[in-house]
Amino acid sequence: MLQSLTSNSCVRLIQSHKSTWYFLLLVLGYILYLIFGAVVFSSVELPYEDRLRQELRTIKKLFLQDHECLSEERLEEFLEKALEASNYGVSILNNASANWNWDFTSSLFFASTVLSTTGYGHTAPLSDGGKAFCIVYSVLGIPFTLLFLTAVVQRIMIFSTRRPVMYVSTRWGLSKPLVAMVHATLLAILAASCFFLIPAAIFSSLEENWNFLESFYFCFISLSTIGLGDYVPGESFNQRFRQIYKVGITVYLLLGLVVMLVVLETFCELQQLKTLRKMFYLKKEKPQDRLAILEHDHLAFTAVSHRNNSTSLREDNTKNLPFVTVPELASPGGDDPMIG
């Protein structure tokens, strides 16, 4: 009997806090996903890092052997300076001396990566004034970009998602959730083809050292605003039409970001995903519950008011009652004729 009562109380506790338990499972799943990613990246990339370190040590050792007049400390100083300049996008190689990082088209590309929060990191401001302006420019520009993208996506959604889904479901009498699911799938396939597969093929042909996988990797990292910066187009030696190429990449990034947001918003409006999201959200207070609370408060206030009015009325009635005069008793030695 006690065990049955305990199990029933546990079930009621879980049912009454279902969204909280789902949220805790969501947090646990996210932490496990982070750990899973760390384990995979470490197991895959660590051997390549170790191999590259050994190759660099070997090359450095052979270089010092071939140039005995150069000390290891001087070489370390030179390499440290060169790597520091490379972090700011400045290279000492002869084949990179013709490419400027802060001409107008390169600066336009940099501004687009800052406002879209992609931030490849291959180019960074060198001066204190440039760093200060970048802070102010980002503080004002990133919210402005979010407002701009929200307005653009809201207008595109009307013509790309809501009206087509409504028309097909009304015209052929199909279920609206089914039509929305098929439409979202087709839209995702079209977006992946136009902004991932085709651009990857174009980049692999324009960039000499990029294959299709590396080009597709760049497209995904860019349009998802991850922006690792290990692959940046238009930075190769003697890039033809480099300025036009940079402007084209800027336009591609902005259009691709808008399309990605449209696709994500389309999937977020699916009834299945709305139901899934509600599992992890706190329940909103229902209008009936709010009305019941208001009525309860009103009744409580009315009862208190009536009680106060009754009390005050009784006090007023007591105050308004006429005074009753009690006759004084005559003293035994008075002039009362009854007393002889």
Side-chain angles (χ1 to χ4, degrees), residues 4-303:
S4 176
L5 292 175
T6 305
S7 61
N8 290 334
S9 62
C10 291
V11 171
R12 286 196 299 270
L13 179 63
I14 294 175
Q15 291 293 335
S16 60
H17 299 84
K18 186 183 294 185
S19 63
T20 303
W21 291 109
Y22 284 146
F23 177 73
L24 292 177
L25 289 176
L26 179 65
V27 173
L28 179 61
Y30 189 76
I31 294 174
L32 291 177
Y33 194 71
L34 285 175
I35 296 174
F36 169 73
V39 170
V40 172
F41 283 126
S42 178
S43 60
V44 172
E45 295 297 328
L46 192 58
Y48 286 91
E49 180 185 1
D50 183 63
R51 186 187 310 167
L52 183 59
R53 287 177 181 272
Q54 293 179 3
E55 291 179 358
L56 288 177
R57 291 193 189 98
T58 303
I59 294 174
K60 177 183 174 182
K61 183 178 179 180
L62 293 176
F63 181 82
L64 291 175
Q65 289 178 356
D66 294 338
H67 303 81
E68 296 180 356
C69 60
L70 180 63
S71 64
E72 185 175 0
E73 291 76 12
R74 295 291 301 276
L75 179 61
E76 291 283 349
E77 293 177 1
F78 172 74
L79 292 177
E80 183 179 356
K81 192 68 176 179
L83 291 175
E84 182 180 357
S86 179
N87 291 332
Y88 287 95
V90 178
S91 177
I92 62 172
L93 300 178
N94 291 330
N95 56 7
S97 59
N99 296 335
W100 291 91
N101 295 321
W102 295 105
D103 55 1
F104 177 75
T105 54
S106 299
S107 300
L108 179 65
F109 178 71
F110 174 77
S112 66
T113 59
V114 169
L115 296 184
S116 62
T117 66
T118 303
Y120 291 111
H122 72 294
T123 302
L126 298 173
S127 63
D128 293 339
K131 295 174 183 177
F133 176 75
C134 184
I135 294 174
V136 177
Y137 185 72
S138 302
V139 168
L140 299 177
I142 292 176
F144 185 34
T145 303
L146 294 177
L147 176 63
F148 165 73
L149 293 177
T150 302
V152 171
V153 170
Q154 190 269 339
R155 282 162 172 76
I156 294 177
M157 285 289 295
I158 297 175
F159 300 98
S160 66
T161 299
R162 298 191 179 102
R163 287 186 180 179
V165 170
M166 183 64 67
Y167 174 79
V168 173
S169 61
T170 304
R171 179 68 175 79
W172 282 282
L174 299 175
S175 173
K176 188 176 179 180
L178 177 61
V179 175
M181 176 64 75
V182 175
H183 173 268
T185 304
L186 294 177
L187 186 63
I189 294 174
L190 181 62
S193 301
C194 295
F195 287 90
F196 287 97
L197 298 177
I198 296 177
I202 295 175
F203 282 127
S204 62
S205 62
L206 294 178
E207 299 291 333
E208 297 179 357
N209 299 323
W210 293 14
N211 55 31
F212 182 81
L213 176 60
E214 293 170 337
S215 301
F216 188 87
Y217 169 81
F218 163 76
C219 295
F220 178 80
I221 294 298
S222 300
L223 298 185
S224 60
T225 68
I226 298 175
L228 297 178
D230 47 350
Y231 289 91
V232 180
E235 300 296 326
S236 60
F237 175 61
N238 288 334
Q239 178 72 53
R240 293 188 303 172
F241 308 108
R242 183 173 183 269
Q243 295 184 348
I244 300 176
Y245 189 34
K246 284 286 187 180
V247 173
I249 296 170
T250 303
V251 174
Y252 161 73
L253 292 177
L254 293 177
L255 290 179
L257 186 59
V258 170
V259 172
M260 292 301 103
L261 291 176
V262 169
V263 173
L264 289 177
E265 185 67 21
T266 301
F267 275 94
C268 287
E269 290 189 355
L270 293 178
Q271 189 63 38
Q272 295 84 348
L273 288 182
K274 288 183 179 179
T275 305
L276 180 63
R277 292 201 307 270
K278 288 180 180 179
M279 293 173 56
F280 308 103
Y281 292 170
L282 289 175
K283 291 184 178 180
K284 294 183 179 179
E285 188 177 338
K286 296 181 180 179
Q288 295 85 355
D289 298 337
R290 191 181 299 112
L291 182 60
I293 293 173
L294 292 176
E295 290 178 352
H296 180 270
D297 293 341
H298 177 69
L299 291 174
F301 177 75
T302 305

